[in-house]
Amino acid sequence: MSASPSGNLGDIVQRDAPLGGWLDCADGRSWTAAEIDDAAGRLAGGLVARGLNRGDRVAILSANGVPFVIAYLALMRAGLVPVPVNHRLPAGTIAYILEDCGARVVFADRERAAMVPIGRETHAIEAIEDMMAVDALSPVRPAPGEIAEILYTSGSTGRPKGVPLSHDGQLWALDRFLAISSTAPERTIIVAPAYHMNGLFFSTVVLALGYFCISMPSFDARAYLRVAAEHRCTLLSGIPTMFALMAREDALIATLDLDCVQDIVIGSAPLTQALIDRVRAIFPNASVRNSYGTTETGPAMFGPHPDGIVRPTLALGYPYPDVEWRLIGGATIDEGMLETRTPATLAGYLNLPAATREKLVDGWYATGDVVRRDSEGFFHFIGRADDMFVCGGENVYPGEIEKLLESHPDVAEAAVLPAEDAIKGAIPIAFVVQMKGRDIDTEALKRFTLEHGPAYAHPRAIVPIDVMPVGGTHKVDRSQLAERVAQISATLKR
């Protein structure tokens, strides 16, 4: 059974769930699931009454919060297309996105309204109740393949690319996730930004299952831990960087009762065993699950094994029955770059036919992720194909070196980048954040990598830093580190 009776992604709220509701930390206001559902229907009616037409794009430039959720649902119910925009991008990039998607209107919160170019119709998202009709609008029934939303890639290389996603495709992904999720009342937190697939998709899961959700406008490790303890949260979701920052708060953790947390789902970036061990130490009663997905193909790709075989700790999971996959260019048939085709796969990038041809062939999407399939059929992440570099004739995947470094007790986080080298072609340079209360001996750490990993992949320089730089999606911002790599490499003795 689909999460949406109308086939509309905006029509997913389980309004009668006993625990369903949201607490918005931005203003302290509590909403029941039924109130959110009613507000979305009334706003949809108000938008149509203002002359917006089916298919019009409406951008959302706002921090997390219930107004964001209501606007997102309402736009789709009215047959409009929400475009969540990363508000941490430069003003010029935001202007490009609004022009590229053809945004007719922008919903912006007060803090970010000034980022909208002059002349584009803008409404305060905090005042959306003023735009609501008296009566709710029945959700539009989308045509097959009709666009539900447009998300933009993070733009770590070049300008962000628009990813149009359909109602039926995203409902397929949501239904697959719901099938393996707990139907018992859960309490959770959403802090991952809703302009990113991780936070946005998890919001739909929470709405469709009727969980109680605390919405935080931005991530702060200490605040997050306090909210989890105070509200007795049972389910947490996020990306590795968030949990790595939490793991540094030893003194605070010692004062909190976090035994309530039963399940943790971590995705959107590579996960290491060392981080899982730290997460389990913070939340002793929680099971920790690795999650995988891409914006372009939907976040539901791997799930539990059909025969009930226990998933290995770091495994991405076993492909769902209706997920097609193939591995390209590997040394064996069970390793290579993952290409996949799912019902949620985009039909093509917005206004970018060349990029579409590069990444999509006959509906097959080239993920750029190099993976390995084990004997039980579980998939494991190795690294990004475009992160891989050659050192002395050997392929080096930074993620594998990072896993090794983070297994050392003195290292909390690691990031590895290549530096040009006249002899080797490229050599690994590692940036590391020390574990709280520990000291990093760089020479001892270098010996550790030589003893426990391939010699060709050991970091030629290890650089301690206080904190890992992160971008708008809370992932490590490697571009900031890359600026330092050439300078560091020049100081090395060859």
Side-chain angles (χ1 to χ4, degrees):
M1 178 180 291
S2 174
S4 171
S6 63
N8 188 308
L9 185 58
D11 182 24
I12 57 171
V13 180
Q14 189 181 140
R15 56 182 294 130
D16 299 323
L19 194 63
W22 287 53
L23 171 62
D24 193 333
C25 289
D27 60 11
R29 181 175 174 180
S30 293
W31 296 72
T32 66
E35 287 173 334
I36 291 174
D37 194 49
D38 290 339
R42 292 176 56 214
L43 179 58
L47 293 170
V48 171
R50 287 173 175 264
L52 289 170
N53 299 313
R54 188 162 177 169
D56 282 346
R57 284 81 186 271
V58 178
I60 305 177
L61 189 67
S62 170
N64 287 7
V66 172
F68 188 119
V69 171
I70 292 172
Y72 173 68
L73 296 174
L75 289 165
M76 291 187 290
R77 290 188 187 197
L80 307 172
V81 180
V83 185
V85 179
N86 180 348
H87 51 74
R88 297 184 66 176
L89 292 171
T93 305
I94 291 173
Y96 163 77
I97 290 174
L98 298 180
E99 185 66 26
D100 184 59
C101 73
R104 181 171 169 186
V105 175
V106 180
F107 280 123
D109 59 25
R110 293 187 182 95
E111 185 176 342
R112 295 161 185 88
M115 298 178 180
V116 181
I118 294 172
R120 196 171 291 273
E121 183 180 343
T122 306
H123 297 280
I125 201 165
E126 298 92 342
I128 55 173
E129 290 181 79
D130 296 338
M131 301 179 67
M132 294 178 184
V134 174
D135 299 318
L137 179 75
S138 296
V140 165
R141 289 188 174 273
E146 184 170 342
I147 296 174
E149 60 190 357
I150 300 173
L151 303 186
Y152 274 78
T153 59
S154 58
S156 56
T157 55
R159 281 178 162 172
K161 297 189 289 290
V163 181
L165 300 169
S166 67
H167 286 271
D168 44 13
Q170 290 306 294
L171 285 170
W172 167 85
L174 179 59
D175 291 341
R176 293 301 169 276
F177 202 91
L178 298 185
I180 63 168
S181 300
S182 169
T183 56
E186 302 274 10
R187 293 176 175 269
T188 191
I189 304 170
I190 290 181
V191 68
Y195 55 69
H196 183 259
M197 177 60 85
N198 186 302
L200 190 63
F201 185 75
F202 189 51
S203 297
T204 65
V205 171
V206 168
L207 291 163
L209 286 170
Y211 292 168
F212 178 78
C213 176
I214 300 98
S215 176
M216 300 181 69
S218 60
F219 178 73
D220 175 84
R222 296 176 65 82
Y224 187 96
L225 288 163
R226 289 192 180 103
V227 166
E230 178 185 350
H231 291 277
R232 311 306 298 152
C233 290
T234 55
L235 168 67
L236 300 179
S237 174
I239 66 174
T241 307
M242 291 168 46
F243 289 93
L245 291 171
M246 285 184 246
R248 303 180 71 185
E249 301 297 336
D250 294 337
L252 174 61
I253 291 167
T255 69
L256 299 175
D257 178 5
L258 295 165
D259 291 352
C260 51
V261 180
Q262 301 295 312
D263 294 289
I264 296 175
V265 181
I266 306 178
S268 295
L271 185 59
T272 65
Q273 184 62 52
L275 180 58
I276 287 179
D277 292 343
R278 291 166 195 153
V279 170
R280 286 173 173 164
I282 301 170
F283 307 100
N285 291 337
S287 64
V288 183
R289 176 160 51 92
N290 200 359
S291 179
Y292 175 86
T294 68
T295 301
E296 287 88 344
T297 60
M301 191 173 299
F302 300 114
H305 198 285
D307 297 330
I309 299 172
V310 176
R311 181 191 303 197
T313 305
L314 288 177
L316 305 174
Y318 189 96
Y320 286 111
D322 37 5
V323 168
E324 297 178 86
W325 59 269
R326 60 193 185 193
L327 303 181
I328 305 298
T332 73
I333 60 172
D334 288 318
E335 183 175 312
M337 196 268 286
L338 175 65
E339 292 189 349
T340 183
R341 186 163 60 182
T342 81
T345 302
L346 81 166
Y349 289 106
L350 187 67
N351 305 324
L352 294 172
T356 298
R357 289 192 296 270
E358 179 185 352
K359 300 289 284 186
L360 278 166
V361 178
D362 295 329
W364 286 90
Y365 174 73
T367 66
D369 292 325
V370 179
V371 301
R372 173 178 58 83
R373 183 173 181 258
D374 68 21
S375 59
E376 302 289 358
F378 289 108
F379 281 69
H380 301 255
F381 181 83
I382 294 177
R384 288 285 301 169
D386 50 9
D387 285 344
M388 187 274 289
F389 59 93
V390 178
C391 178
E394 300 283 354
N395 291 348
V396 175
Y397 290 96
E400 295 297 285
I401 312 174
E402 291 162 4
K403 288 179 185 177
L404 177 58
L405 287 165
E406 290 182 13
S407 70
H408 192 282
D410 293 342
V411 178
E413 295 178 84
V416 173
L417 287 84
E420 290 186 11
D421 184 81
I423 297 174
K424 298 289 187 180
I427 54 174
I429 304 293
F431 296 86
V432 295
V433 176
Q434 72 181 32
M435 188 68 71
K436 204 165 186 177
R438 309 292 291 251
D439 292 316
I440 288 179
D441 180 332
T442 56
E443 289 304 314
L445 191 55
K446 191 182 294 185
R447 289 194 298 272
F448 173 83
T449 62
L450 282 165
E451 292 168 2
H452 295 87
Y456 64 82
H458 84 278
R460 303 323 195 256
I462 296 177
V463 185
I465 57 177
D466 293 331
V467 64
M468 202 65 71
V470 295
T473 56
H474 294 164
K475 298 180 184 179
V476 174
D477 186 350
R478 293 176 182 270
S479 64
Q480 292 189 42
L481 298 174
E483 295 172 1
R484 301 176 56 183
V485 166
Q487 181 180 0
I488 293 165
S489 176
T491 67
L492 297 177
K493 295 180 180 179
R494 298 301 201 272

